[in-house]
Amino acid sequence: MTDTASVLEVRINARLRSVQRGDRYEDPLAFWLENHFPGSRVTGGGTLLSGDGEPLSCAVTADITGDADVVLDALVEFLDEIGAPRGSSATLTGGRSRDFGSAEGLALYLNGTELGPEVYADNDVNEFLDDLHASVSPFGTLQAFWEGPKATAVYIYGPSADAIREAMVPLLASHPLAQHSRLEQIA
């Protein structure tokens, strides 16, 4: 491909709202583009939401200069290095697209309506999240959460969803706030 300006759309299979998307992907990508492909710049981003407002995926757009194929290949490698989830893709003006991502993800949905009132009154969700973070930290990271009308979702990403799930089992089996919770693989 020739050295012309192109538009790049990066769809990231991560359930992140705007602040987390910016911290995790948009800002690092902007810095990376400026340093590796001068004249290229991030032009925007967004988050796809479900009907009840849960983040489903996010996107970053950029204007790139230089050989678009070279930029695309290098960008995919960079995003893989910083832990982009499986199921992500990057598409250039004109249709060339690359799938990428190796991280796996889990969503833990904590039941927000069906537990006894004493469970919610006697247990601090922030302490639960601290315990969850400690449980999974060798295997993944808590990257975001979402408070919905009936559940609170916590999104955890790492190299292996199975390892994350296994690390969570003791906490989920014993903590009152984890009653009636569910796990869903999201990447």
Side-chain angles (χ1 to χ4, degrees):
M1 193 170 266
T2 61
D3 284 359
T4 60
S6 298
V7 175
L8 177 69
E9 182 171 327
V10 182
R11 185 191 156 280
I12 303 164
N13 187 27
R15 296 189 179 195
L16 306 176
R17 307 256 299 148
S18 60
V19 171
Q20 292 90 9
R21 180 191 68 240
D23 291 346
R24 184 98 181 135
Y25 294 105
E26 233 173 289
D27 296 344
L29 183 55
F31 182 76
W32 181 86
L33 281 171
E34 288 173 15
N35 284 303
H36 290 86
F37 298 96
S40 298
R41 64 186 182 90
V42 168
T43 57
T47 298
L48 176 65
L49 303 175
S50 71
D52 60 2
E54 181 179 8
L56 300 175
S57 66
C58 55
V60 177
T61 56
D63 289 337
I64 57 170
T65 58
D67 185 320
D69 289 331
V70 171
V71 175
L72 180 63
D73 291 341
L75 175 128
V76 164
E77 184 177 321
F78 169 70
L79 290 171
D80 272 336
E81 287 173 7
I82 65 170
R86 289 183 333 190
S88 299
S89 63
T91 305
L92 286 167
T93 305
R96 181 164 181 245
S97 186
R98 287 268 317 266
D99 294 335
F100 64 92
S102 58
E104 296 183 350
L106 290 174
L108 169 64
Y109 292 90
L110 299 172
N111 191 307
T113 60
E114 298 174 356
L115 306 181
E118 70 284 352
V119 173
Y120 299 115
D122 296 345
N123 294 279
D124 182 347
V125 72
N126 292 312
E127 290 176 10
F128 173 80
L129 293 175
D130 288 344
D131 293 344
L132 181 61
H133 172 74
S135 296
V136 303
S137 65
F139 308 102
T141 57
L142 281 66
Q143 291 188 9
F145 70 93
W146 168 76
E147 293 179 85
K150 295 184 178 186
T152 296
V154 182
Y155 308 115
I156 308 152
Y157 296 90
S160 167
D162 289 338
I164 295 168
R165 184 181 291 110
E166 188 173 315
M168 296 168 65
V169 166
L171 179 64
L172 298 182
S174 65
H175 201 287
L177 287 175
Q179 296 175 58
H180 305 294
S181 64
R182 68 181 167 87
L183 277 174
E184 179 183 322
Q185 186 157 354
I186 54 175

